[in-house]
Amino acid sequence: MIRREPAFISFASKKFVYFSAMTLSAPIMPLFLVREVKATDSQIGTITMTMTLVMLVGYFLWPWSSRKYGGRFVLLATTFGMIFYPALTAATPRFRSSSFMQALPDFSNQALTWSSLMS
């Protein structure tokens, strides 16, 4: 039954690869924060809280942006956000700038999740 839907197979395999990469990289970020940024436990908690708050903003912003500018704009914006994320993370050796930089993938993921639900 699924074999008759090549578009679904293509979408599901691409989403699997993307989310696998995001999930496998998640345990590395606390190590980066502890070893390179020298963040304390409370600072890592603040970063996690910031990520959650930005994710909530993304739930409201991306559907609005998609209706106003179109789905292509949203996918391009999130793709570029995810492309620049590793470089920007490496360029932020301080806690203050790192806390907002860590929220970028969650913000971008909301658009990808939302757009996949609307497809």
Side-chain angles (χ1 to χ4, degrees):
M1 185 163 141
I2 293 177
R3 291 182 188 168
R4 290 182 282 180
E5 301 293 335
F8 174 76
I9 293 171
S10 173
F11 170 76
S13 61
K14 291 173 186 173
K15 190 166 183 167
F16 173 76
V17 169
Y18 173 77
F19 282 112
S20 295
M22 290 301 296
T23 305
L24 290 172
S25 68
I28 296 172
M29 292 316 297
L31 293 174
F32 169 76
L33 293 172
V34 169
R35 293 183 180 176
E36 300 298 322
V37 180
K38 308 286 190 249
T40 64
D41 291 341
S42 63
Q43 290 172 330
I44 293 173
T46 302
I47 290 172
T48 304
M49 179 190 66
T50 304
M51 290 169 65
T52 304
L53 291 175
V54 169
M55 184 172 42
L56 289 173
V57 170
Y59 278 126
F60 295 104
L61 181 69
W62 289 122
W64 173 81
S65 297
S66 180
R67 284 190 298 272
K68 185 171 182 173
Y69 301 111
R72 181 177 169 90
F73 168 78
V74 170
L75 289 175
L76 284 174
T78 57
T79 300
F80 283 116
M82 294 305 292
I83 288 170
F84 292 124
Y85 169 68
L88 293 173
T89 299
T92 55
R94 293 189 322 255
F95 166 71
R96 288 179 193 239
S97 53
S98 181
S99 63
F100 293 106
M101 199 55 56
Q102 297 304 317
L104 184 62
D106 286 331
F107 188 66
S108 297
N109 272 335
Q110 298 320 307
L112 294 175
T113 302
W114 185 83
S115 65
S116 67
L117 291 174
M118 296 297 129
S119 299

